[in-house]
Amino acid sequence: MESLLPLSLFAFVSSITPGPNNIMLTSSGIRFGFVRCIPHMLGVVFGFGVILALCAAGIGSLIVAMPVLHLVLKTIGSTYLVYLAWQLRSMAFNQGEDDSARPMSFIGAALFQFANPKAWVMAVTGASAFLPPMQPVWFAIVVFCLIFSVVNLPCIGIWAGTGAMLRRYLTQAKWQRLFCAIMITLTLYSALAIWS
């Protein structure tokens, strides 16, 4: 239990703070409502859980330590965030939104975690500092991933829920533009922060 509390606190702080997933879920919550974001949220938890397991097994540190792969990861992640910022510029929150628009799927959200630098940093840091000292090792990895996922899901749910609550207040064009400007700024900041 002495090792599980620090792990839980680290999982909470790293999951609740702004990052690519949380920004995307807030935007999705505004556009589609909370219920339609559930597959997106579950995809985040699943994909991130796989990364946690890889990092706890030692593979994540090896990938991040390789300069070429680390550069590719950062490039893909920042490029995708710039793409999201471009998409956000014309977001429409009114009821007459394009019927072809869809929230991110479970599979899409899970795969995005492999291009999400914050996910890799969280997983590598968590695995190196907070992996429970249990035997056998596979059991420690299961406990590590389970606790992180249980903490992560409600944290990202708060961001999607916040977006869903804001949906009713963003019916006027001026508030839509203001919110879009804030989200674009945060998204671009996340893209730049990858390289710091």
Side-chain angles (χ1 to χ4, degrees):
M1 288 302 298
E2 291 178 0
S3 64
L4 299 186
L5 180 59
L7 168 60
S8 300
L9 290 173
F10 173 76
F12 174 77
V13 171
S14 57
S15 297
I16 200 70
T17 50
N21 285 323
N22 294 336
I23 292 170
M24 290 166 57
L25 281 165
T26 302
S27 300
S28 191
I30 290 170
R31 296 187 72 191
F32 308 110
F34 184 82
V35 173
R36 292 182 68 191
C37 291
I38 291 174
H40 184 169
M41 290 187 288
L42 294 177
V44 168
V45 173
F46 178 80
F48 183 55
V50 172
I51 291 176
L52 286 170
L54 291 174
C55 290
I59 297 172
S61 297
L62 178 63
I63 293 172
V64 174
M66 296 178 69
V68 173
L69 289 178
H70 198 206
L71 178 63
V72 169
L73 179 69
K74 287 164 66 170
T75 302
I76 292 172
S78 60
T79 301
Y80 188 73
L81 288 170
V82 170
Y83 167 77
L84 286 177
W86 178 256
Q87 294 297 310
L88 286 169
R89 85 199 187 288
S90 60
M91 261 176 55
F93 307 127
N94 56 19
Q95 298 302 315
E97 68 182 28
D98 181 7
D99 289 338
S100 66
R102 297 283 182 270
M104 184 174 274
S105 67
F106 175 90
I107 293 174
L111 291 177
F112 173 69
Q113 302 317 301
F114 291 88
N116 181 357
K118 184 183 177 186
W120 283 101
V121 170
M122 287 167 58
V124 170
T125 304
S128 61
F130 300 105
L131 187 66
M134 300 175 174
Q135 293 298 327
V137 174
W138 66 264
F139 181 69
I141 293 173
V142 169
V143 170
F144 171 70
C145 295
L146 183 62
I147 288 176
F148 221 119
S149 297
V150 167
V151 173
N152 182 254
L153 182 58
C155 288
I156 62 176
I158 288 171
W159 286 82
T162 299
M165 286 190 304
L166 287 173
R167 181 181 175 93
R168 70 181 71 173
Y169 300 107
L170 296 174
T171 55
Q172 296 181 18
K174 65 178 181 179
W175 296 117
Q176 291 178 20
R177 286 193 296 270
L178 175 62
F179 184 80
C180 278
I182 292 170
M183 295 305 288
I184 288 169
T185 302
L186 288 173
T187 305
L188 290 175
Y189 172 77
S190 296
L192 291 173
I194 289 173
W195 298 96
S196 61

